Amino acid sequence: MDEVLLRTLTPHVLGILVRRGADFASAEDAVQDALVEALRVWPADPPRDPKGWLVTVAWRKFLDAARSDSARRRREDVADVEPAPGPVSTVDDTLQLYFLCAHPSLTPSSAVALTLRAVGGLTTRQIAQAYLVPEATMAQRISRAKRTVGKVRFDQPGDVATVLRVLYLVFNEGYSGDVDLAAEAIRLTRQLAAAIDHPEVAGLLALMLLHHARRASRIAADGSLVPLAEQDRGRWDTAAIAEGVEILQAALARDRLGEFQAQAAIAALHADAPTAGETDWVQIVEWYDELAKLTDSPVVRLNRAVAVGEADGPRAGLAALAEVDATLPRHTAVAAYLHERDGDLATAARLYSEAAGKAPNLAERDHLTRQAARLNTRLRG
């Protein structure tokens, strides 16, 4: 079962149902039901036209739900014009769906969560991890958002800043594992940049390109993570880096700094360094200071502590880390790294082991476990 294919088809099918007259909440429920049916049926009987199959099944499930709901008797007329199975429209509604989910009737956090679930194809657990909240809390947030946006007209505009946040989180999810999902986020951000003259749209596109340029070097042949400092920079995509830097420079020249431009500037400094040892960490710290002013994000302060440790030494990094919430994901991993650089191998080994138990995914857990094992071997030797 190609789950990446299902995730890619989801927004297209959802858009078709909405254009045919389904309200968003009901359409999203029907598409999710169709995806469950696909997971059950396709392994034994894969369809020749996956998109057409999903549209047909989702539409029928929507009609079944409409018929069974006494409050929606008016939708019985829709059943009389059910399209026959066959080729379906190739119109790409994905970006329009992002804007629908970013409707002003929703809070930004609810809009992002709804889009990630309904259009981005992320699970409730993945979204909860991104927002650092319990899964049950996120499930309730998404449910409320679906009820709120259910009756919104498909052509009502949403908020650009919220759409950017969604695209950023979708890219991050892809960058941590599913390259296709990251590429889809880049494709949609290119569409948005072509349609809207906005420095933060350009900043986000630059950021994505600069990070995505390193994808070939992030995973070793055995599937293990390769830290930035150890990556083969000869495998970085220089064309993507050049494009990202050019887009970033044009955006910064407009003197309307935003968080995505600041993040892209940090990524550009990493990309510009011929070797890890030649990275301009002092300037990276300065950009993190700018980013902290723009976002007041604990994740930014965590990453800044690493940069301070590189620029001013591990003890300065640990001092900066002490000001960051210790319950934050990856806090323990950062502490382990800084203690190792400071020469306290016993503490670093213990913290690496502790961080492995908190890792958000298998690849990070294995990486941190290997780091702990490496230091324990040195300590025993």
Side-chain angles (χ1 to χ4, degrees), residues 164 189 193 196-210 242-265 268 287 294:
L164 290 178
T189 306
I196 300 176
D197 183 19
H198 192 296
E200 271 296 80
V201 176
L204 179 58
L205 179 56
L207 174 64
M208 289 179 174
L209 290 170
L210 289 163
E243 182 185 5
V245 169
E246 182 179 0
I247 292 171
L248 172 63
Q249 289 174 339
L252 291 174
R254 301 177 65 174
D255 199 24
R256 291 169 54 192
L257 184 64
E259 63 171 299
F260 294 123
Q261 294 170 70
Q263 289 190 58
W287 274 112
L294 291 166

Side-chain angles (χ1 to χ4, degrees), residues 102-301:
H103 192 268
S105 61
L106 297 175
T107 64
S109 60
S110 294
V112 171
L114 176 62
T115 314
L116 292 173
R117 181 70 186 94
V119 188
L122 274 65
T123 66
T124 302
R125 175 173 296 180
Q126 288 172 317
I127 302 168
Q129 289 174 344
Y131 270 86
L132 310 180
V133 300
E135 184 175 354
T137 300
M138 183 53 65
Q140 293 175 351
R141 184 180 299 176
I142 294 172
S143 180
R144 288 195 299 269
K146 286 171 61 177
R147 289 195 299 270
T148 300
V149 81
K151 302 302 180 181
V152 169
R153 287 176 56 83
F154 187 57
D155 57 357
Q156 286 184 294
D159 177 63
V160 174
T162 302
V163 172
L164 290 178
R165 175 62 52 188
V166 175
L167 289 168
Y168 174 68
L169 290 174
V170 169
F171 175 81
N172 279 348
E173 186 62 34
Y175 191 65
S176 67
D178 184 351
V179 172
D180 285 345
L181 190 57
E184 172 70 358
I186 292 174
R187 184 184 71 84
L188 292 172
T189 306
R190 284 191 186 279
Q191 286 187 10
L192 188 57
I196 300 176
D197 183 19
H198 192 296
E200 271 296 80
V201 176
L204 179 58
L205 179 56
L207 174 64
M208 289 179 174
L209 290 170
L210 289 163
H211 277 302
H212 207 53
R214 303 199 301 258
R215 73 188 186 277
S217 62
R218 294 184 70 248
I219 305 296
D222 61 0
S224 61
L225 288 179
V226 181
L228 176 60
E230 301 172 17
Q231 289 177 13
D232 179 359
R233 299 184 179 220
R235 300 184 65 195
W236 289 2
D237 185 342
T238 55
I241 291 173
E243 182 185 5
V245 169
E246 182 179 0
I247 292 171
L248 172 63
Q249 289 174 339
L252 291 174
R254 301 177 65 174
D255 199 24
R256 291 169 54 192
L257 184 64
E259 63 171 299
F260 294 123
Q261 294 170 70
Q263 289 190 58
I266 293 169
L269 286 167
H270 283 297
D272 187 55
T275 65
E278 296 174 85
T279 304
D280 189 345
W281 286 106
V282 172
Q283 193 173 169
I284 287 176
V285 171
E286 292 174 354
W287 274 112
Y288 271 123
D289 288 339
E290 292 292 333
L291 190 55
K293 294 175 186 175
L294 291 166
T295 67
D296 192 33
S297 164
V299 175
V300 169
R301 292 195 293 274

Side-chain angles (χ1 to χ4, degrees), residues 4 26 131 195:
V4 173
S26 298
Y131 270 86

Side-chain angles (χ1 to χ4, degrees), residues 46-88:
R48 285 178 293 181
D49 179 11
K51 182 178 177 181
W53 188 97
L54 284 172
V55 169
T56 299
V57 173
W59 184 249
R60 288 174 178 169
K61 287 185 178 297
F62 162 71
L63 293 177
D64 288 343
R67 293 190 185 102
S68 66
D69 189 343
S70 60
R72 297 177 182 175
R73 293 293 184 186
R74 61 186 177 81
R75 293 195 182 275
E76 290 292 340
D77 294 335
V78 180
D80 297 331
V81 293
E82 178 180 350
V88 296

